[in-house]
Amino acid sequence: RNREKQRLNGSEFSELRVLQSCLDQPMESSIHEVVKYTPSLLPAKHYDTETTEPVSYGLCTMEELLSWRRSVANPFNVASVCLAPRVPSLARCSRRTLVSHDMMGGYLDDRFVQGTNVENPYTFYHWQHIDIFNYFTHQLVTIPPAVWTNAAHKHGVIVLGTFITEWTEGAAMCEAFLKDEESYRAVADKLVQISQYYGFDGWLINIENSLSEVAVKNAPLFLRYLTDQTHERVSGSLILWYDSVTESGELKWQNELNHSNRMFFDACDGFFTNYNWTEANLEWMKDFSGVQGRLADIYVGVDVFARGKVVGGMFETNKALEIIRKHNFSAAIFAPGWVYETHSDKNEFRRNQHKFWALLFDYLYTHQVASHLPFTSSFCQGFGEAFYWRGQIETKRSWLNLTAQEIQPLYSSWDTEAQGRLTSCGCPEEPWNGGSSLLLAGLIPAALKTPVCAPMFSLHVPVDSRIFVALIYKTSSGIKVSLQIKTEDMTVCTFPVASVSSEALKDDQLVSQFSQMCGNPDPDGWTFRCSQLELHGCILTEISLLIQRDGEDTGQNTPFSCHVGEIVVLDVASLQVPPYAVQGLCIDDVVWMRGAGPSPETTSPLLRLGATLRWEYPAELVHHFRVYQRWLRGPDPRIPAGQLQLVGRAYSGLFRVTELVVPEPPSLVELVVEPIIWTGLPIPESHWGRRQLSYTEANPGSLS
């Protein structure tokens, strides 16, 4: 127990010194380490104890919450993606959709900040149809894993953590922190600091235990203080209250907003009702004076597991949504991971996910992702059976990393003209980049003489320049496609994305370099097409693909499929920006181990390295980073230096190398960081980050 205390103190000291020690490393020299197999001083909660992989976690006790401070927080769990703007803004959205993700206790495969290797994981990708994402567990303080925050923020979706108290233990906590102003402000201050540090957008407050007279009197004051402080420090933030205790302090779910719980609603941004409501509850609530002017702030709860007496649930969740929207309320969909948890064949997850959300689409509202150029997406859903780069396998093993998820298109199934059919879904069999492409499949009826329009993106992207558009796709035989872009003034630009050759774009060397692939055949069947457009003072709102027969009309129905690998819309001027170099690459928190774990007792002959890399690079320019290692010198001088070997991919300037097999000491290895920018243009190697690490065996008699 005393040793654990020493480790904690050491880890706190290490975290306090880490930035300074990183900056103190001379950039021109290599770093030297002595190989020792001492227990890691890294905080056990921040890292997997076997591999030192960084992980996300929550706080289980009030002591943990009140002692939390930035100096000992987990830097890996800080979201690397800021909340994207959207149209309409949340404040102007009159009927919102919240998803509360509660799955098997939480912090599962998604706890690995840098991703993990797993087959058939759960994930979510219907972001353009929801407004708020809540990560829910039954720990006291649920801090959303950074991978979820990153994925949601790319799509303009707000992310909420959860603060929950339950049962006898929860009641005792509430009596302690709601006893007076000083106590409830201390808790609220920590919740604000945590959301601000980790980069998410607020909290769902769930008090599911009875409260004393003093505690229930202070609860709205706690809520109001928390709401005000969060708004002041976290832009666009929300604080929601769950329907649980009443003004008397009794734990009694109301399944509506009414006189007995209005005091909590008045003190925060919104109210999440319990799930056992009837339409009569909604009819009464719509006319309740306490709701007037704030219908959008009432989130009517829907338990997808359909526990208790509820409307809908499971594959009938649409029945609940229909009634909720009929009365103009927002909806809170609880535990949609039901489609994964309760179906034993995880290979059917995509199919079940598609079925569940397709049933809801009539009651969901699409918001537009508001961004600036460049706009790109390769449709990666953040997981796959292998990791692809430009149609080639880069890493051949199943993986999950929601931070790698690209801007997602509109997934659904539509009836088209003349009794045709169109389905849009993710496809893991034919990725271009990442783990999946977009599959558009359906039927062109014999009677249909016009193209089938497949909507892909709903956007809000200002354009006032010459733009470059590239499309990468594969189609079934007898089909041709064209790209359609709509602007806010309803201008429609339709072109076959084959009209511009690389010769026509040679007015600039970088533009020529980018477009040299256009029109060229690809051995794996991908087609590259490019075009330029002059658009000034307009806003891109829709990107669609038009699909039609190629050749003679046979008078028969024509089935079709089209895999879309990537779409790129660039400001041509952005291709002329000189490349940036990776700055300040440093190495710290080095751990040595034998075999698969840090235990000195392992007998594997392989020496493994764990280390944290940090560097600087403009975040707005980079898609991701490749991290490599190379053996420069080993114990045998006759063996030449090795080639660059891929270690992993980073999505910010922070990466943990784990279990990296290195030569026996004395040796010299080089760690290298290559930026992959949004335009796809290669960055010269002279601009990559490089750092050498030399190491020797510990002297006889030293600690090992």
Side-chain angles (χ1 to χ4, degrees):
R1 183 175 298 177
N2 190 45
R3 184 174 180 179
E4 282 298 308
K5 184 177 180 180
Q6 291 176 347
R7 285 186 62 185
L8 177 61
N9 292 338
S11 68
E12 292 179 5
F13 182 67
S14 175
E15 292 284 349
L16 287 168
R17 294 180 59 247
V18 68
L19 181 59
Q20 181 178 357
S21 66
C22 192
L23 295 175
D24 285 345
Q25 293 179 6
M27 290 296 107
E28 297 78 18
S29 64
S30 65
I31 299 167
H32 181 73
E33 282 280 331
V34 175
V35 177
K36 296 180 180 180
Y37 307 108
T38 54
S40 168
L41 293 180
L42 295 172
K45 291 202 71 169
H46 297 183
Y47 302 89
D48 182 90
T49 55
E50 291 297 313
T51 65
T52 75
E53 293 175 90
V55 295
S56 303
Y57 62 92
L59 307 178
C60 297
T61 68
M62 191 61 71
E63 181 183 6
E64 283 184 281
L65 173 60
L66 293 175
S67 63
W68 185 92
R69 57 189 185 278
R70 295 171 64 96
S71 61
V72 293
N74 181 0
F76 282 95
N77 198 45
V78 175
S80 58
V81 180
C82 296
L83 178 64
R86 43 164 283 178
V87 176
S89 66
L90 188 70
R92 300 186 65 180
C93 184
S94 60
R95 287 175 288 184
R96 306 164 189 160
T97 303
L98 179 152
V99 162
S100 186
H101 175 60
D102 174 28
M103 179 176 284
M104 297 183 285
Y107 300 114
L108 305 172
D109 296 323
D110 56 4
R111 75 185 185 278
F112 293 101
V113 178
Q114 297 178 173
T116 189
N117 299 117
V118 59
E119 295 185 0
N120 301 316
Y122 174 79
T123 185
F124 179 81
Y125 35 80
H126 292 93
W127 295 107
Q128 285 186 287
H129 298 293
I130 76 167
D131 306 288
I132 304 164
F133 178 85
N134 164 238
Y135 195 83
F136 186 95
T137 77
H138 289 272
Q139 298 186 27
L140 175 67
V141 178
T142 299
I143 301 170
V147 295
W148 281 106
T149 305
N150 290 334
H153 277 184
K154 287 177 187 177
H155 298 84
V157 172
I158 283 175
V159 177
L160 304 182
T162 305
F163 177 78
I164 185 172
T165 62
E166 301 176 282
W167 313 108
T168 303
E169 183 181 6
M173 287 184 187
C174 288
E175 293 309 306
F177 90 85
L178 291 174
K179 64 183 179 182
D180 54 37
E181 182 178 3
E182 180 182 0
S183 298
Y184 71 67
R185 285 195 170 203
V187 168
D189 287 341
K190 290 300 181 182
L191 294 176
V192 173
Q193 292 167 22
I194 288 170
S195 60
Q196 184 180 30
Y197 177 81
Y198 286 117
F200 60 97
D201 311 298
W203 298 94
L204 170 65
I205 307 299
N206 188 357
I207 306 298
E208 294 212 59
N209 47 256
S210 59
L211 297 176
S212 68
E213 182 179 351
V214 171
V216 77
K217 179 182 177 181
N218 283 326
L221 302 178
F222 160 69
L223 263 185
R224 171 50 58 197
Y225 179 76
L226 174 63
T227 302
D228 291 344
Q229 293 300 306
T230 306
H231 288 178
E232 183 177 323
R233 290 167 174 77
V234 181
S235 177
S237 55
L238 280 181
I239 302 296
L240 302 184
W241 173 265
Y242 180 70
D243 169 19
S244 49
V245 296
T246 64
E247 62 182 356
S248 68
E250 182 183 9
L251 177 60
K252 188 175 183 181
W253 299 271
Q254 300 295 292
N255 302 298
E256 65 181 20
L257 180 72
N258 57 33
H259 294 286
S260 66
N261 53 28
R262 174 183 174 177
M263 60 191 290
F264 306 109
F265 176 59
D266 290 342
C268 66
D269 297 311
F271 186 86
F272 184 145
T273 78
N274 192 46
Y275 313 106
N276 302 115
W277 50 268
T278 66
E279 186 168 7
N281 293 110
L282 306 193
E283 289 173 345
W284 183 91
M285 189 163 52
K286 184 172 62 174
D287 297 325
F288 174 45
S289 61
V291 173
Q292 300 314 305
R294 293 188 65 188
L295 256 66
D297 296 333
I298 308 294
Y299 300 84
V300 179
V302 181
D303 181 4
V304 179
F305 277 79
R307 289 164 285 207
K309 295 181 65 176
V310 300
V311 176
M314 297 186 270
F315 283 125
E316 294 186 342
T317 298
N318 56 307
K319 294 181 178 180
L321 267 289
E322 180 181 10
I323 296 173
I324 293 168
R325 298 311 196 200
K326 173 183 173 182
H327 295 283
N328 293 317
F329 288 110
S330 294
I333 303 172
F334 185 76
W338 169 86
V339 300
Y340 182 87
E341 278 193 63
T342 61
H343 295 81
S344 58
D345 187 357
K346 305 308 182 189
N347 290 310
E348 292 295 306
F349 164 61
R350 286 179 189 268
R351 186 187 306 274
N352 292 329
Q353 176 98 315
H354 185 87
K355 175 182 176 181
F356 177 84
W357 287 96
L359 290 167
L360 304 185
F361 283 147
D362 288 343
Y363 312 106
L364 303 177
Y365 305 97
T366 302
H367 67 259
Q368 299 173 322
V369 178
S371 65
H372 297 281
L373 296 180
F375 173 81
T376 73
S377 180
S378 61
F379 311 97
C380 175
Q381 295 177 326
F383 69 113
E385 297 167 7
F387 195 96
Y388 285 74
W389 184 250
R390 298 194 170 175
Q392 303 298 312
I393 292 179
E394 192 171 81
T395 307
K396 193 174 183 179
R397 54 185 176 183
S398 297
W399 62 278
L400 167 69
N401 186 348
L402 283 168
T403 299
Q405 190 177 88
E406 303 270 327
I407 296 291
Q408 293 297 289
L410 302 171
Y411 296 115
S412 191
S413 296
W414 299 271
D415 292 322
T416 62
E417 294 181 58
Q419 297 183 324
R421 188 70 174 163
L422 170 66
T423 296
S424 168
C425 61
C427 178
E429 283 80 27
E430 294 278 2
W432 173 249
N433 287 337
S436 54
S437 61
L438 173 64
L439 174 60
L440 301 171
L443 184 74
I444 303 176
L448 185 65
K449 307 304 179 184
T450 56
V452 173
C453 181
M456 291 192 293
F457 293 103
S458 180
L459 304 170
H460 188 90
V461 180
V463 176
D464 192 19
S465 62
R466 184 163 57 115
I467 65 171
F468 184 94
V469 181
L471 182 72
I472 300 169
Y473 64 94
K474 290 182 180 183
T475 65
S476 54
S477 60
I479 296 297
K480 63 180 180 180
V481 302
S482 20
L483 199 64
Q484 177 174 280
I485 293 179
K486 291 185 179 180
T487 64
E488 193 172 50
D489 61 2
M490 298 309 294
T491 298
V492 178
C493 304
T494 302
F495 45 92
V497 290
S499 57
V500 180
S501 68
S502 58
E503 286 295 322
L505 295 169
K506 281 192 175 178
D507 56 333
D508 181 272
Q509 182 179 357
L510 286 174
V511 177
S512 174
Q513 183 181 6
F514 182 83
S515 59
Q516 63 186 350
M517 65 183 180
C518 296
N520 297 330
D522 179 81
D524 293 315
W526 291 101
T527 299
F528 303 78
R529 294 290 182 257
C530 310
S531 283
Q532 283 192 83
L533 289 174
E534 290 280 350
L535 294 175
H536 296 282
C538 64
I539 295 175
L540 302 185
T541 57
E542 292 182 22
I543 299 178
S544 303
L545 203 65
L546 302 183
I547 304 167
Q548 57 190 319
R549 297 182 187 88
D550 186 15
E552 293 185 14
D553 186 349
T554 62
Q556 297 180 337
N557 293 340
T558 305
F560 69 87
S561 66
C562 177
H563 290 89
V564 187
E566 187 171 42
I567 184 165
V568 180
V569 183
L570 300 173
D571 179 345
V572 170
S574 70
L575 298 175
Q576 302 164 346
V577 175
Y580 285 81
V582 173
Q583 301 287 335
L585 176 61
C586 65
I587 304 172
D588 54 34
D589 290 334
V590 173
V591 174
W592 300 98
M593 59 187 74
R594 292 280 179 182
S599 172
E601 289 78 23
T602 54
T603 58
S604 169
L606 297 177
L607 177 63
R608 298 175 185 264
L609 167 69
T612 296
L613 308 185
R614 303 168 193 267
W615 63 88
E616 295 180 0
Y617 198 84
E620 67 276 9
L621 298 181
V622 72
H623 180 275
H624 69 281
F625 301 91
R626 287 198 190 101
V627 179
Y628 303 96
Q629 68 99 4
R630 179 170 60 173
W631 303 356
L632 296 180
R633 186 179 68 247
D636 188 343
R638 295 170 296 180
I639 299 177
Q643 300 295 314
L644 288 178
Q645 296 179 329
L646 182 66
V647 175
R649 298 165 203 85
Y651 295 86
S652 69
L654 183 66
F655 184 77
R656 181 74 187 168
V657 175
T658 60
E659 298 188 292
L660 178 63
V661 176
V662 294
E664 292 296 314
S667 290
L668 178 68
V669 299
E670 184 178 43
L671 295 169
V672 180
V673 175
E674 175 193 10
I676 307 298
I677 60 176
W678 286 106
T679 63
L681 295 173
I683 297 295
E685 287 196 32
S686 59
H687 288 57
W688 298 6
R690 298 176 182 274
R691 203 62 197 255
Q692 294 181 3
L693 174 67
S694 65
Y695 52 96
T696 56
E697 194 73 74
N699 294 324
S702 64
L703 182 63
S704 62

